[in-house]
Amino acid sequence: GAANHEIMEKIAPLFRAPLVYNGDVGRSSFDMLKKRFPHVSRWMIGRELLKDPFLPEDIKQFLTDNSKSLIDTPQMNDSRKLIINSFHDDLLEAFTKIIRREEALVGKMKSYWFYLESLFPERKKDISEMKMILKLDEYKEWVHRILKS
């Protein structure tokens, strides 16, 4: 269920131990949560990390710089694309060892992109094309095109 912010506001100041907040921590909510719960010293991101693997880095930068707000959309530069590409290749290699059928392997890898597509809002058409791919070579070519552009 959803976190009960009203209860949290009442009890947070009573704790002497460090508080950890867990629940719906993302780009659009972090700034509001940080302001609403100044007693919280740690944040658990959870599933949002699958969609936005750079969120922890950006939150840390936001807190360090005392920026006015956390940017809504992650900035995808060449360095970040390289990180995603490396993770993707490692994941593909691991799945190749346990999934023998090509279509099943491609399907498994494509499911990863349903989380990552929010990092590439300008590539919606390409993401749609990926959904039709069944062959591993076509899939690898598609990934190369997305991450090298």
Side-chain angles (χ1 to χ4, degrees):
N4 189 326
H5 292 156
E6 288 76 27
I7 296 293
M8 179 74 171
E9 276 181 320
K10 290 177 185 175
I11 64 169
L14 304 175
F15 282 85
R16 289 196 177 125
L19 286 178
V20 178
Y21 183 93
N22 179 15
D24 301 323
V25 176
R27 284 184 182 277
S28 60
S29 63
F30 182 77
D31 193 27
M32 177 276 298
L33 291 169
K34 181 73 177 147
K35 288 175 184 169
R36 191 166 183 180
F37 306 118
H39 296 87
V40 172
S41 58
R42 301 279 188 259
W43 303 88
M44 292 179 66
I45 295 173
R47 287 181 297 246
E48 191 70 24
L49 191 60
L50 294 171
K51 293 191 300 187
D52 190 352
F54 304 106
L55 182 59
E57 177 184 345
D58 289 348
I59 286 175
K60 186 176 181 180
Q61 187 71 38
F62 164 70
L63 294 173
T64 303
D65 292 349
N66 288 325
S67 302
K68 292 188 180 199
S69 65
L70 186 63
I71 53 172
D72 288 337
T73 306
Q75 303 300 307
M76 287 303 298
N77 55 35
D78 289 341
S79 170
R80 287 183 168 189
K81 286 181 182 180
L82 214 65
I83 291 168
I84 289 176
N85 192 59
S86 178
F87 175 76
H88 173 273
D89 290 351
D90 289 347
L91 192 63
L92 179 59
E93 182 181 335
F95 281 141
T96 300
K97 293 175 183 174
I98 58 174
I99 301 173
R100 301 284 178 221
R101 266 189 45 242
E102 183 178 32
E103 282 185 25
L105 175 61
V106 171
K108 188 72 157 175
M109 292 306 298
K110 288 188 325 188
S111 67
Y112 172 64
W113 286 95
F114 292 115
Y115 292 106
L116 287 183
E117 67 183 311
S118 63
L119 296 176
F120 301 92
E122 73 286 354
R123 305 302 295 264
K124 285 185 189 257
K125 183 179 179 204
D126 292 314
I127 300 289
S128 291
E129 289 174 9
M130 177 266 304
K131 295 172 184 175
M132 307 307 263
I133 295 173
L134 299 174
K135 300 287 183 193
L136 186 57
D137 287 340
E138 292 174 22
Y139 171 76
K140 287 179 179 179
E141 184 180 306
W142 178 86
V143 170
H144 180 78
R145 193 172 69 234
I146 293 294
L147 295 177
K148 300 302 180 205
S149 60

